[in-house]
Amino acid sequence: MPNSALRVRSSSWSSVRNDIESFWLPFTANRSFKARPRLIARAKNMHYYTSEGRAVLDATAGLWCCNAGHSRDPIVAAIQAQAAELDFAPPFQFAHPIAFETASRLSALAPGDLNHVFFCNSGSEAADTALKIALAYHSAIGQGSRQRLIGRERGYHGVGFGGISVGGITNNRKFFGSLLSGVAPLPATYDREHQAFSRGEPDWGAHKADELERIVALHDASTIAAVIVEPMAGSTGVLPPPKGYLQRLRAICDKYRILLIFDEVITAFGRLGYAFAAERYGVIPDMITFAKAVTSGSVPMGGVIVRDHIHDAFMSGPDHAIELFHGYTYSAHPLACAAAIATLDLYRDERLFERANGLENVWADAFHMLQDAPNVLDVRTVGLVGAVELAPNPDGAGVRGFEVMERLFHEEGMMARISADTIAISPPLIVSEAEIGEIVEKLSRVLKKVA
Ligand SMILES: Cc1ncc(COP(=O)(O)O)c(C=O)c1O
């Protein structure tokens, strides 16, 4: 379009068409979406509703977020009341009371001496914040040569430059330049040959943690700041940690004074039956990142919970001096804090983490029935998460998975998440046993259709 044809006035307040072209959807096949949109207009508890009022069973808690279910009354009321009471307060040099309350509630939930919370607004910001704290911490304790960051193949830590640098998803990296230097990856823990059809943590694979010893031998511990891993890799197709793997990683990090960061953006708040996966695995990392379900997806919030020794290392220098040159305008936003407190109350009062824990076997029994469906290469379950990995069809990787997702939405009224040809399912923790059956039936019918 020639420049002269562009609008010169910055906006038009009257006659704006609701144009499907204006919105560039994230992580979406835009042209295919716009040809046949999957529009969600409303939600309540376990269901979404389309604009025509068609119910869609939410088998993914939105995007691993809405663990308490949708538009829950106490969360809605808390957000409404907070918007009327205090809409915004600057988080730099000022604060508001419920920011402290939210941090205290999260510290109390976290294991060990994970007692200090740095707030941000998303999982990506949480990952980048944790990496920056790790680097600045080593600098603060006189170990500034520790600059190297260790991630893992098939890891996902959001889309900031830090997160994609330590992440292990080719498409999230290859278009974006040379990324951070000094990053070394651990190998992925998944190997179908040894782990197929696992319930819970697979028996095989703890030795994959020993690769950290090899990285230390190559680079020397004095150059390594931190290791970041998802306790269970979610976005690359649900890869539960092998038994003993995380414990081994913790032991090697301790041996070389390398910080261990658990990215719990998906695994926190009941997904694996505990407040944090750290608790399930009996491993206390140096930092935990969280986001998503902290507000049950209702208002964006993320953060990093850090152990005492890390926080305390920054608390020196003159009283007036800023200790960490990092933060976001919306860190600890009042609406997010109100939503988080109401959500944590709901998790506690309805015992939703215990509920997820109690349902794990029912879930696994039902979900593993899918192993007899056509084209299934693997079925994996852990906590209230399940994945069905399908063989790609001859048209290429991801085509079959995409068709499953579309058919589930349009023909079965169910939302599912795909990672290429792996279908990932993670319902809200309020899911009933009947709804678990419904999820499996709907999936099973569609898997037959795309055979
Ligand atoms: C483990 C993990 N880290 C970080 C992120 C990024 O979160 P966000 O999309 O809120 O930036 C995600 C998102 O799914 C995630 O699963």
Side-chain angles (χ1 to χ4, degrees), residues 63-64 121-125 127 156-159 230 232 234-235 263-266 289 291-292:
L63 194 44
W64 310 89
N121 310 286
S122 68
S124 301
E125 289 180 359
Y156 182 59
H157 304 290
V159 292
E230 302 158 85
M232 172 208 75
S235 298
D263 185 338
E264 295 230 29
V265 165
I266 279 180
T289 62
K292 294 190 186 260

Side-chain angles (χ1 to χ4, degrees), residues 87-167:
D87 55 350
F88 177 78
F92 303 172
Q93 307 286 11
F94 299 89
H96 58 90
I98 62 169
F100 294 95
E101 189 183 342
T102 314
S104 304
R105 293 284 299 269
L106 289 165
S107 307
L109 267 186
D113 64 342
L114 283 150
N115 287 330
H116 307 272
V117 184
F118 196 101
F119 285 110
C120 53
N121 310 286
S122 68
S124 301
E125 289 180 359
D128 280 18
T129 297
L131 298 175
K132 287 177 76 174
I133 290 176
L135 293 172
Y137 162 77
H138 286 297
S139 174
I141 62 165
Q143 299 260 318
S145 66
R146 289 187 179 259
Q147 298 188 357
R148 209 171 283 282
L149 300 167
I150 313 295
R152 192 169 61 190
E153 290 160 1
R154 297 190 72 168
Y156 182 59
H157 304 290
V159 292
F161 273 103
I164 61 174
S165 301
V166 293

Side-chain angles (χ1 to χ4, degrees), residues 95-428:
H96 58 90
I98 62 169
F100 294 95
E101 189 183 342
T102 314
S104 304
R105 293 284 299 269
L106 289 165
S107 307
L109 267 186
D113 64 342
L114 283 150
N115 287 330
H116 307 272
V117 184
F118 196 101
F119 285 110
C120 53
N121 310 286
S122 68
S124 301
E125 289 180 359
D128 280 18
T129 297
L131 298 175
K132 287 177 76 174
I133 290 176
L135 293 172
Y137 162 77
H138 286 297
S139 174
I141 62 165
Q143 299 260 318
S145 66
R146 289 187 179 259
Q147 298 188 357
R148 209 171 283 282
L149 300 167
I150 313 295
R152 192 169 61 190
E153 290 160 1
R154 297 190 72 168
Y156 182 59
H157 304 290
V159 292
F161 273 103
I164 61 174
S165 301
V166 293
I169 304 180
T170 313
N171 280 334
N172 290 2
R173 297 163 57 90
K174 72 178 185 186
F175 305 105
F176 307 110
S178 50
L179 312 182
L180 289 185
S181 60
V183 171
L186 287 165
T189 59
Y190 180 69
D191 186 329
R192 194 186 315 134
E193 196 192 332
H194 298 284
Q195 295 174 341
F197 303 105
S198 57
R199 280 174 72 120
E201 295 72 18
D203 291 324
W204 183 95
H207 64 281
K208 294 275 180 182
D210 297 339
E211 284 293 308
L212 184 54
E213 288 277 9
R214 192 187 53 78
I215 293 172
V216 170
L218 179 65
H219 296 289
D220 198 73
S222 66
T223 71
I224 301 175
V227 171
I228 181 167
V229 290
E230 302 158 85
M232 172 208 75
S235 298
T236 55
V238 180
L239 315 175
K243 285 189 185 114
Y245 172 88
L246 294 169
Q247 292 82 343
R248 216 134 139 181
L249 215 48
R250 177 71 273 183
I252 303 171
C253 286
D254 282 346
K255 183 169 157 195
Y256 297 110
R257 296 173 185 275
I258 297 167
L259 298 180
L260 179 60
I261 304 166
F262 277 2
D263 185 338
E264 295 230 29
V265 165
I266 279 180
T267 51
F269 308 112
R271 183 50 59 201
L272 299 188
Y274 295 83
F276 295 96
E279 200 182 328
R280 178 175 174 120
Y281 297 115
V283 174
I284 301 182
D286 297 288
M287 292 186 240
I288 287 179
T289 62
F290 67 88
K292 294 190 186 260
V294 64
T295 62
S296 197
S298 60
V299 181
M301 173 177 256
V304 184
I305 315 178
V306 309
R307 291 177 70 170
D308 286 341
H309 70 106
I310 298 178
H311 168 266
D312 295 350
F314 287 91
M315 299 302 136
S316 62
D319 278 357
H320 73 279
I322 290 169
E323 294 105 355
L324 179 64
F325 284 85
H326 181 69
Y328 302 90
T329 298
Y330 298 119
S331 287
H333 190 282
L335 263 55
C337 290
I341 292 167
T343 302
L344 296 177
D345 285 348
L346 211 50
Y347 290 149
R348 179 197 58 208
D349 297 345
E350 296 186 352
R351 301 178 64 76
L352 290 182
F353 305 161
E354 294 84 345
R355 186 163 198 286
N357 203 328
L359 278 174
E360 179 159 347
N361 278 332
V362 175
W363 171 253
D365 286 345
F367 208 78
H368 276 274
M369 291 203 278
L370 293 166
Q371 53 185 268
D372 297 326
N375 301 304
V376 170
L377 296 178
D378 193 8
V379 176
R380 308 181 272 278
T381 53
V382 63
L384 263 191
V385 188
V388 188
E389 186 166 344
L390 302 173
N393 81 14
D395 295 332
V399 178
R400 178 169 274 138
F402 189 81
E403 189 183 340
V404 170
M405 188 259 296
E406 274 215 299
R407 281 180 178 267
L408 279 169
F409 183 82
H410 291 298
E411 295 168 19
E412 295 286 345
M414 184 168 111
M415 184 177 285
R417 177 105 191 100
I418 46 168
S419 164
D421 291 301
T422 299
I423 321 298
I425 302 292
S426 55

